[in-house]
Amino acid sequence: MKKITINDLVKWKQEGRKFATSTAYDASFAGLFESQEMPVLLVGDSLGMVLQGQNDTLPVTVEDVVYHTRSVRAGSPNCLLMADMPFMSYATPEQACENAAKLMRAGANMVKLEGSDWLVDTVKILTERAVPVCAHLGLTPQSVNIFGGYKVQGRDQKNADKMVRDALALQEAGAQIVLLECVPQELAKRITEALDVPVIGIGAGNVTDGQILVMHDMFGISANYMPKFSKNFLAETGDMRSAVAKYIADVESSAFPDDAHTIA
């Protein structure tokens, strides 16, 4: 697989070509994903739940993500690699710069931050200092205690309109990707069409430019529950490589997510 850059994703958006993304946490699975030409990988703070057995992502540290980023990069030298900024690791722009540098040195091409328009200054400072940013909107798992659980976001008109404004503001600040989690498909379509940068969805229907799944959900081995928007591709194919290939093909053809895996 040739080395993937943000320019490839922008070109694909312009061409209407959808792309698949997965979380990854170690060299072996990263190599498996790259062998099937998965263009984008994310070292997610979801590792707290799927690897560490935590109830949420809050206990994950920057050092945890650095370790797994280094491992994933070793197994997948050519993917575009995003790394999550963990809970309270970017409370101030100065703190964000210091911790983002650690992730970039570990092999990340981009960092992902959860939050709305309050992140505008931080995103601007990071991108001015050569740190590409993916902005994460909608259900932001680090805010689970504010939301009172893992709930769909943007169902009402007021919050939907605000999310559109937030996405535009973050793009203007320099965010090069926007990730939408657990938002209604109609809202995801509005945001995807409004932005020039690629939009990746999870639980946002098949209208976004790309899709992402937690790898454990893709293989049906999550220790917790299986979200409505996730699909066990291993059960359908019986082989991990075939499961990854099927996921990629179904995303590219818009077969996944279908209505059964989309939030109304």
Side-chain angles (χ1 to χ4, degrees):
M1 186 176 79
K2 80 175 189 71
K3 187 173 288 294
I4 303 297
T5 70
I6 186 61
N7 291 337
D8 292 305
L9 305 191
V10 172
K11 181 173 181 286
W12 295 344
K13 178 184 178 82
Q14 294 168 347
E15 295 173 345
R17 173 184 169 183
K18 296 182 182 292
F19 61 90
T21 307
S22 174
T23 63
Y25 312 97
D26 63 38
S28 296
F29 277 104
L32 185 155
F33 291 134
E34 182 152 316
S35 74
Q36 301 305 310
E37 300 193 358
M38 183 87 72
V40 184
L41 294 176
L42 168 68
V43 179
D45 59 1
S46 50
L47 69 89
M49 302 174 76
V50 298
L51 299 186
Q52 298 176 347
Q54 307 285 353
N55 292 323
D56 52 45
T57 64
L58 274 58
V60 176
T61 66
V62 172
E63 289 69 28
D64 289 335
V65 181
V66 165
Y67 173 87
H68 290 283
T69 298
R70 189 175 292 115
S71 298
V72 170
R73 178 50 81 201
S76 179
N78 296 310
C79 72
L80 190 150
L81 180 57
M82 300 190 294
D84 264 338
M85 298 278 284
F87 177 64
M88 291 299 288
S89 67
Y90 49 99
T92 66
E94 295 76 16
Q95 188 184 28
C97 287
E98 180 180 348
N99 289 321
K102 295 177 182 177
L103 296 175
M104 297 293 285
R105 291 188 187 111
N109 301 119
M110 176 177 288
V111 298
K112 181 166 74 63
L113 288 71
E114 298 182 11
S116 55
D117 56 355
W118 66 269
L119 277 174
V120 163
D121 289 342
T122 298
V123 171
K124 185 176 181 181
I125 287 170
L126 284 172
T127 54
E128 285 176 346
R129 287 152 181 79
V131 178
V133 173
C134 171
H136 184 159
L137 293 169
L139 171 58
T140 47
Q142 292 173 19
S143 300
V144 62
N145 290 310
I146 295 291
F147 294 152
Y150 297 99
K151 300 179 179 180
V152 178
Q153 302 297 306
R155 283 197 186 276
D156 62 277
Q157 192 66 47
K158 179 181 177 181
N159 287 318
D161 290 344
K162 182 180 186 306
M163 202 179 300
V164 174
R165 293 194 301 270
D166 290 342
L168 287 167
L170 290 163
Q171 174 182 257
E172 179 66 23
Q176 292 182 286
I177 295 177
V178 170
L179 189 149
L180 300 176
E181 180 170 357
C182 287
V183 302
Q185 181 167 268
E186 181 180 347
L187 175 56
K189 187 173 189 291
R190 281 182 64 192
I191 293 173
T192 302
E193 292 177 348
L195 297 184
D196 296 321
V197 301
V199 177
I200 297 174
I202 178 168
N206 65 2
V207 294
T208 54
D209 303 304
Q211 295 290 330
I212 187 166
L213 280 182
V214 173
M215 58 165 278
H216 293 69
D217 291 345
M218 188 194 313
F219 298 136
I221 55 174
S222 292
N224 301 303
Y225 77 102
M226 178 73 79
K228 171 185 171 63
F229 52 77
S230 294
K231 181 178 179 180
N232 181 352
F233 283 87
L234 181 59
E236 186 174 339
T237 60
D239 173 79
M240 283 188 170
R241 284 178 175 77
S242 298
V244 174
K246 174 69 171 170
Y247 166 59
I248 293 171
D250 283 3
V251 169
E252 291 177 349
S253 68
S254 296
F256 178 81
D258 56 14
D259 289 345
H261 298 92
T262 296
I263 295 170

